[in-house]
Amino acid sequence: MAGDNGDAALTRRAFTLMDAIEKRDLTPKQSVLLHYFRSNAWENRLRENAKKQSWDWDIEEIQNQILHLRLAARHEGFEELEEVWRCAILTNLANTLNSVGRVIEAIELWDRVLCLEKRFAVALANRGLGFSYYARSVYDQGHAYMLQLAAADSYAEASSPEAVFESVHNAAFSDQFKKSHEQIAAQLDLDSARENLNSTEFSLGDSPKECAYRKWVLRNRLFLNPLNDIGAKNIAAQDILTLPSMTFAFDEYEGPNPPPVIGFYNQLKQEFVSARYIFYEGAELGSGFDTAHFSDKDVALYNTLDYPSYALAVEKVRLAYRMGYSLFDKIAFFINHYMQVGWADDKVNFRNVWYRFKKDRTKELRPIFQRRENLALRGLFWLSKDIFEPEFKKVMEPEAESLAEIRNFLEHKYFQVHESWALGGGFQDHLGGSPGYHISRNEFEAKTLRVLKLARSALIYLSLAVYREEQMRHADKDGLVASMPLSRWDDEWKV
């Protein structure tokens, strides 16, 4: 009622009721619904403050929306909900992430909804909206063409007679979804684009091992390629994304070489793809033998009776986690340099790069970012809220502190991986008084994959953000422009 009527007093009453309800002995299912309704109440607050369509960046209402929707989606009672509730929660979470520029994570969530109900119209339509924004944000027009095709297909399914609407209110938008499809179809040859997207002529490698690896990367959407977000298509099986064309003043850099940011992005890409493969080797291939890897043979270790995992494969997962997590601060270093933010090189990190601190240690968004109309850059800002730093207590990722703690223990302390079957059988209780961080092998691999997917999103958003910045900067520059073409680094030199 508060949302329908724009009644702020009723929203306050709702929060009071929810605070009272939270103190009761709730079932898991009821706890999930309480998080869902809290998120809706925060959306009411967002509308009341007229920020819903603004270019404000740091919006508390949105942060709380995302936090409570994530708490709902990850709660043990989530699977007990009726399918329509699960679809609604995941769709709302995807829509909210998309609104702040995190389209990649949004697409994955919309696809998760469609695995539950492939005809869920609101998820389909919003996925169409997300793909359409994605298409306008990439510098490669061929990629833009394919992403618009994905948008058109989503709109077509959302407006089909078989589409499922959870409410009469949303069903009224069916004609609008159909119109969105027709607008794209009028501008593009959809059949030709679809044939190209689904072509199997694109190579997946020269050997069975390489093909297996690239298929795994496609399935997990880990290629640095926007087309991988459409699905596991052969055309997306290459890390093609780079920085867009950039324009600099002649006196901005000394010497004949290209700007340093180009080499820096190269290095970020290389570290990511190497971390990705190291993780694949550790998590998917294991030792590659029926017995221990030869590097592990004759390494004397005591049996500590807590079912530890000691193997080269486990160490590869450890390396992948550390490499993937380190990319976030390196991206902050890039932003600090490219945007001329002003942080000292040894002080900047992914959480603080956006802010300046006052004498009383309170923080505020730096003027260069305030209301900046760069959605991909804002997406990076909101992705940074998933990373925990001690000086930033508020995060919108429930597991952010845990992910940071793992990184800290991996780097500096005792981090022990145990066989999953042992901890799954209740052996975890025995480790309660043991020093260090203890985790099952399966859980550690899942968290590493999560870190790598976040790092991939961040690298793509960084490229999209630079493209938008270059568009805005180019409009402000006068004078002659000389081109400096760059050739690709040959694969044969990578030895």
Side-chain angles (χ1 to χ4, degrees), residues 215-467:
K215 287 179 180 178
W216 175 86
V217 178
L218 282 173
R219 287 196 306 272
N220 286 282
R221 299 188 186 186
L222 286 173
F223 274 111
L224 291 173
N225 188 329
L227 299 186
N228 200 184
D229 293 305
I230 298 176
K233 308 291 185 180
N234 286 16
I235 193 175
Q238 51 185 326
D239 297 290
I240 197 66
L241 189 77
T242 61
L243 292 179
S245 296
M246 307 172 77
T247 306
F248 296 91
F250 282 110
D251 59 354
E252 202 164 340
Y253 296 103
E254 295 182 3
N257 296 326
V261 292
I262 295 175
F264 190 12
Y265 196 81
N266 281 348
Q267 183 61 38
L268 292 172
K269 277 189 67 174
Q270 183 61 56
E271 290 182 25
F272 171 78
V273 299
S274 296
R276 183 182 68 196
Y277 183 72
I278 290 171
F279 174 70
Y280 170 74
E281 282 193 320
E284 294 294 312
L285 300 184
S287 69
F289 300 92
D290 293 332
T291 59
H293 189 269
F294 60 79
S295 68
D296 290 323
K297 291 181 179 179
D298 299 321
V299 178
L301 302 171
Y302 287 113
N303 183 356
T304 53
L305 308 180
D306 55 0
Y307 306 102
S309 291
Y310 291 122
L312 175 62
V314 177
E315 297 309 308
K316 286 180 178 180
V317 178
R318 288 172 179 258
L319 283 172
Y321 191 103
R322 292 159 67 184
M323 290 175 69
Y325 205 102
S326 73
L327 287 170
F328 301 122
D329 284 348
K330 293 172 183 177
I331 288 171
F333 188 95
F334 184 109
I335 294 168
N336 188 48
H337 174 78
Y338 176 69
M339 300 293 295
Q340 299 180 349
V341 177
W343 277 98
D345 288 350
D346 62 341
K347 301 293 183 183
V348 66
N349 63 52
F350 198 40
R351 284 305 306 269
N352 71 16
V353 66
W354 317 98
Y355 298 98
R356 64 181 180 187
F357 290 82
K358 302 177 184 178
K359 291 182 179 179
D360 61 359
R361 295 306 297 164
T362 59
K363 67 182 187 301
E364 64 180 3
L365 198 66
R366 284 182 177 265
I368 193 173
F369 299 121
Q370 289 178 11
R371 302 186 66 80
R372 196 170 193 85
E373 296 186 16
N374 185 330
L375 194 55
L377 190 62
R378 190 168 74 169
L380 268 176
F381 166 74
W382 279 89
L383 192 151
S384 76
K385 289 177 177 287
D386 284 356
I387 306 300
F388 177 82
E389 286 287 343
E391 60 185 337
F392 294 86
K393 299 300 182 185
K394 285 189 175 182
V395 292
M396 62 181 195
E397 168 54 66
E399 294 188 81
E401 190 167 359
S402 171
L403 295 177
E405 189 177 20
I406 288 174
R407 193 264 186 111
N408 184 271
F409 272 83
L410 279 169
E411 295 281 6
H412 308 293
K413 302 172 186 176
Y414 174 35
F415 183 85
Q416 182 64 67
V417 181
H418 299 266
E419 293 299 335
S420 300
W421 59 266
L423 294 192
F427 194 76
Q428 180 79 57
D429 297 338
H430 176 72
L431 301 171
S434 180
Y437 196 108
H438 298 266
I439 191 171
S440 74
R441 190 165 176 173
N442 285 349
E443 185 180 0
F444 182 44
E445 289 173 357
K447 289 182 183 295
T448 304
L449 180 59
R450 187 176 307 161
V451 167
L452 290 175
K453 290 174 82 70
L454 268 180
R456 179 219 179 224
S457 295
L459 288 171
I460 294 178
Y461 293 148
L462 183 60
S463 175
L464 304 187
V466 170
Y467 179 49

Side-chain angles (χ1 to χ4, degrees), residues 26-35 68-81 86 89 112 398:
L26 301 178
T27 66
K29 183 176 176 180
Q30 290 169 334
S31 295
V32 175
L33 290 175
L34 188 61
H35 283 302
H68 283 287
L69 286 168
R70 281 175 164 172
L71 288 170
R74 296 178 189 177
H75 197 283
E76 61 178 344
F78 182 74
E79 296 302 326
E80 297 179 18
L81 290 178
R86 284 181 282 155
I89 289 170
R112 185 176 162 189

Side-chain angles (χ1 to χ4, degrees), residues 74-276:
R74 296 178 189 177
H75 197 283
E76 61 178 344
F78 182 74
E79 296 302 326
E80 297 179 18
L81 290 178
E82 292 81 359
E83 187 177 273
V84 67
W85 283 110
R86 284 181 282 155
C87 289
I89 289 170
L90 294 174
T91 300
N92 282 8
L93 177 55
N95 296 349
T96 309
L97 287 171
N98 187 53
S99 72
V100 295
R102 295 186 62 178
V103 64
I104 295 171
E105 292 84 358
I107 290 170
E108 192 161 11
L109 283 165
W110 285 318
D111 286 349
R112 185 176 162 189
V113 172
L114 298 174
C115 286
L116 295 172
E117 172 49 78
K118 65 180 181 179
R119 302 166 298 170
F120 199 71
V122 177
L124 285 164
N126 278 284
R127 188 178 67 167
L129 182 68
F131 275 130
S132 190
Y133 151 69
Y134 207 170
R136 296 192 300 272
S137 302
V138 297
Y139 62 83
D140 186 298
Q141 292 307 300
H143 286 177
Y145 204 84
M146 300 295 182
L147 290 165
Q148 286 287 21
L149 165 67
D153 287 347
S154 289
Y155 282 129
E157 291 179 66
S159 57
S160 72
E162 293 78 25
V164 173
F165 291 90
E166 82 283 16
S167 70
V168 175
H169 172 76
N170 285 331
F173 291 100
S174 181
D175 288 342
Q176 184 177 323
F177 302 157
K178 183 178 180 181
K179 184 177 180 181
S180 296
H181 169 263
E182 292 171 347
Q183 288 174 339
I184 298 174
Q187 299 174 20
L188 304 179
D189 183 347
L190 297 184
D191 291 336
S192 175
R194 188 173 292 104
E195 182 179 350
N196 198 24
L197 180 67
N198 294 325
S199 173
T200 58
E201 294 180 4
F202 297 93
S203 174
L204 290 178
D206 300 325
S207 69
K209 286 185 177 180
E210 184 181 357
C211 291
Y213 167 64
R214 292 186 176 275
K215 287 179 180 178
W216 175 86
V217 178
L218 282 173
R219 287 196 306 272
N220 286 282
R221 299 188 186 186
L222 286 173
F223 274 111
L224 291 173
N225 188 329
L227 299 186
N228 200 184
D229 293 305
I230 298 176
K233 308 291 185 180
N234 286 16
I235 193 175
Q238 51 185 326
D239 297 290
I240 197 66
L241 189 77
T242 61
L243 292 179
S245 296
M246 307 172 77
T247 306
F248 296 91
F250 282 110
D251 59 354
E252 202 164 340
Y253 296 103
E254 295 182 3
N257 296 326
V261 292
I262 295 175
F264 190 12
Y265 196 81
N266 281 348
Q267 183 61 38
L268 292 172
K269 277 189 67 174
Q270 183 61 56
E271 290 182 25
F272 171 78
V273 299
S274 296
R276 183 182 68 196

